[in-house]
Amino acid sequence: MNERTTALVTGANKGIGYEIAAGLGALGWSVGVGARDEHRRDAAVEKLRAAGVDAFGVPLDVTDDASVAAAAQLIDEQAGRLDVLVNNAGVTGGMPQQPTTVALDTVRTAVETNVIGVIRVTNTMLPLLRRSASPRIVNMSSSVGSLTRQTTPGAETGPISAAYSASKTFLNAVTIQYAKELQGTNILINAGCPGFTATDLNGFRGTRTPEQGAAIAIQLATLPDDGPTGGFFEDAGVVPW
Ligand SMILES: NC(=O)c1ccc[n+]([C@@H]2O[C@H](COP(=O)([O-])OP(=O)(O)OC[C@H]3O[C@@H](n4cnc5c(N)ncnc54)[C@H](OP(=O)(O)O)[C@@H]3O)[C@@H](O)[C@H]2O)c1
């Protein structure tokens, strides 16, 4: 059994996920770089190792049962347990997303990755997480999934989006259900919003750096045992549902 704290970050080959892996690695943790593309994964692992991070590649497509099962087996062999899971991988599903005209495949893609992918990975990793003394699960959500902000006049919630925003609302709802079931265990599960961050996801139009975007996930990954569970947070504090 690896004595180091071990984390898995999904979609860690670029963007916010890469910086979450770098940030957790800087704490001296062993970090599994979950990524579906071999070359992008290898390049990220190499870059992290060059920066002194104890990184290892984890082939992982969150939409694929066999891939996720193999990832759990690899982590079991590598570390014997998992302390922190960051469900970061996400897609918009494609544009446009006007509800009256949206392609159903656009909605399916967003939900398949951003919601069902998170459930698939979480449930497959749960036996490994249960072996940890302080398991943490972080779901990378978005404030565009906040129904309160969506219905608050003047609040900044991005473009009309029947797929991406709604998938993050769904993810928030699922996060609450996990917290309810896991209440009384040592597992803390929370949703985080990175803020509008310059990445491929938005054509690099975001105003925050990926490193800034990663900060909330790192905070939720390192919560003390009496920390919150079933919450939704950004750097400034609680995000309203
Ligand atoms: N950027 C923002 O302003 C913003 C705001 C709020 C929330 N978020 C959330 O933050 C998270 C990270 O987004 P980002 O901005 O860093 O986007 P990004 O640069 O596009 O990175 C997304 C990551 O997810 C991976 N991914 C997508 N589908 C996958 C799958 N089926 N299996 C495994 N990995 C998959 C991508 O891998 P590939 O390279 O193989 O495509 C990539 O590593 C997402 O959940 C996003 O919704 C972002």
Side-chain angles (χ1 to χ4, degrees):
M1 176 102 53
N2 192 338
E3 290 313 312
R4 278 195 177 196
T5 300
T6 301
L8 171 66
V9 182
T10 70
N13 53 286
K14 66 179 180 182
I16 296 166
Y18 177 87
E19 292 299 339
I20 296 170
L24 297 179
L27 300 174
W29 293 11
S30 180
V31 183
V33 176
R36 55 186 168 175
D37 179 88
E38 184 183 349
H39 298 293
R40 289 195 289 273
R41 183 176 61 248
D42 287 351
V45 169
E46 205 174 305
K47 199 172 155 195
L48 286 163
R49 284 186 180 159
V53 173
D54 177 15
F56 60 99
V58 181
L60 179 61
D61 181 337
V62 304
T63 64
D64 184 291
D65 285 344
S67 168
V68 177
Q73 197 177 338
L74 188 154
I75 291 166
D76 193 3
E77 288 163 9
Q78 177 88 15
R81 66 162 195 282
L82 185 63
D83 298 292
V84 170
L85 169 63
V86 182
N87 287 307
N88 165 80
V91 294
T92 61
M95 294 292 167
Q97 299 193 353
Q98 300 292 116
T100 58
T101 55
V102 68
L104 297 185
D105 272 347
T106 298
V107 181
R108 271 192 206 101
T109 301
V111 172
E112 185 61 56
T113 303
N114 301 350
V115 184
I116 298 173
V118 171
I119 297 171
R120 177 182 290 110
V121 173
T122 301
N123 291 353
T124 306
M125 297 298 161
L126 213 46
L128 293 172
L129 285 159
R130 288 189 193 279
R131 293 182 200 157
S132 170
S134 302
R136 304 286 177 260
I137 302 170
V138 182
N139 292 339
M140 286 307 268
S141 183
S142 171
S143 62
V144 303
S146 164
L147 295 176
T148 303
R149 288 200 182 158
Q150 286 284 354
T151 52
T152 300
E156 181 45 62
T157 51
I160 290 177
S161 153
Y164 180 70
S165 295
S167 77
K168 294 300 188 180
T169 312
F170 192 169
L171 175 62
N172 288 347
V174 165
T175 304
I176 293 173
Q177 298 304 313
Y178 271 102
K180 282 163 68 94
E181 183 184 344
L182 296 173
Q183 202 165 25
T185 74
N186 57 0
I187 303 176
L188 303 180
I189 177 166
N190 291 286
C193 173
F196 189 36
T197 304
T199 66
D200 263 342
L201 193 90
N202 51 37
F204 296 90
R205 282 179 288 104
T207 51
R208 287 161 66 82
T209 65
E211 201 176 355
Q212 289 172 320
I216 189 64
I218 292 165
Q219 190 184 325
L220 295 173
T222 54
L223 286 174
D225 289 343
D226 62 352
T229 191
F232 185 18
F233 302 94
E234 59 189 358
D235 282 355
V238 171
V239 184
W241 299 115

